[in-house]
Amino acid sequence: MAEMERPAAKRRRISSSAADMITQPGTIKINVAGAYIIDHGEEDTSHGSDSNSPTSDPEFEEQSYTQHKRDIRLPNHTALVSHVAADIGGSLAKVVYFSRENGNPESGGRLHFLSFETERIDDCIEYLRLLQSRHKQTNGAKATELSVQATGGGAYKFYDRIRERLGVDVRREDEMECLIGGLDFFITEIPMEVFTYNEADPENAVVYQEARSDIYPYLLVNIGSGVSMIKVSGPSQYKRIGGTSLGGGTLWGLLSLLTGARNFDDMLAMADKGDNGSVDLLVGDIYGEGMGYEKIGLSERTIASSFGKVLKRKREAEKRAEDGSGLSNGDVNRSKFDGGAQEEDGPQASLIGDGRMFKPEDISRSLLYAISNNIGQIAYLQSEKHDLQRIYFGGSFIRGHQQTIHTLSFAIKFWSKGSKQAYFLRHEGYLGAVGAFLKRRPVKWGRQGSVELGET
């Protein structure tokens, strides 16, 4: 979401090397002094990628993964790092690893963030294998010295496969502990990671937060394939207090049936172009054009019923067809998602490809709003029940998507009458992976000793 990016001065690029990240397994202390987020677009790319980076290897010319555009630069961390971390969920497998800058310990290093669709877990394992291979070529160390910190359901489902393919130690970490540990790290150690969003103030819609230590208690709403809501009272003090099965997997599944989109990013892109007003029944449709129910805070664009216009329009189309005023499905031009152009004029204009009456873009926006609004309201109710003022939204469902962030933020503000605040993260999908990464380290590390997970 480019418009949500904090301006930053250009920095000279120092190429990254993944090879130096692997050494003997053991606990490490991450030096986060001076840490900052760096967007790949801020770097001088004239130096090119380091040849030891897996992303520069010909084997990965056809990428099966998504590389997060923001690394976390750790300019003062000079110690060797012995492990990678993977959070393997129902839809995505997220990977976090450390690399040195230009292979030079004195230059510090950075954390990298990648994701694979879980159905392509073999590609994820192959990526880890290539990291292992690059290390061996560079340092002559045994490949078995690499350690994988794994969390999520896939840490159990694919445990044997990872061990057999890589021949390495795989340590399975508790999913909830990793989520909390990762979030605590981001809140307390990484400046400008957390932000709030307010569309009512376009000039200052995004407000980034400095790292802070007074963070408890809070509510974490982690939105992946499903949704978990976790009350966090202190370091390693948490309880899952609720959730919903209607999450990212629901959006992905329904839109794959209703539209021609092939992946989650396509669905979000379609939602950006859509108008949910052609699918949803709005307050203005009930009270009349230009009218809302302002007495109880409902504008004319407020959704009264998600997909509320579908049945009515379907019946109207069926009636027109019976009267002979409509066209059969076979006469309708296909939409661009069905392999053809869409015709705007004539009696068939209300029909989209294959006789559908709604554009895929409008359906995508409507369903995105429906699921996001539902999550936002449940999150508010849980925060009210447990007296929690700060609500952090994480998980790969969000993906820095402005409509999603606005909907969740608006829901919390609306239902709480402004008394509660929704917070978001720039690496929202990597809480579990970062938490797993941090598991291999001493207690009370870093500037503020934010995460007190035990030594493993």
Side-chain angles (χ1 to χ4, degrees), residues 176-211:
M176 293 297 172
E177 285 187 8
C178 289
L179 284 172
I180 302 307
L183 178 55
D184 280 4
F185 168 77
F186 280 129
I187 298 173
T188 62
E189 308 292 357
I190 307 300
M192 310 304 166
E193 169 69 35
V194 178
F195 64 91
T196 60
Y197 185 77
N198 181 13
E199 196 172 69
D201 184 7
E203 295 297 319
N204 301 286
V206 179
V207 178
Y208 291 99
Q209 310 292 302
E210 291 291 345

Side-chain angles (χ1 to χ4, degrees), residues 225-254:
S225 299
V227 183
S228 286
M229 299 184 184
I230 308 163
K231 176 184 178 180
V232 184
S233 304
S236 299
Q237 298 176 26
Y238 62 88
K239 179 181 180 181
R240 187 181 188 275
I241 57 176
T244 173
S245 62
L246 305 181
T250 309
L251 181 70
W252 196 337
L254 288 176

Side-chain angles (χ1 to χ4, degrees), residues 320 325-327 331-333 342-351:
R320 286 197 302 270
S325 58
L327 293 178
D331 296 326
V332 181
N333 287 334
Q342 180 181 314
E343 190 167 303
E344 298 294 341
D345 300 316
Q348 71 273 33
S350 63
L351 297 179

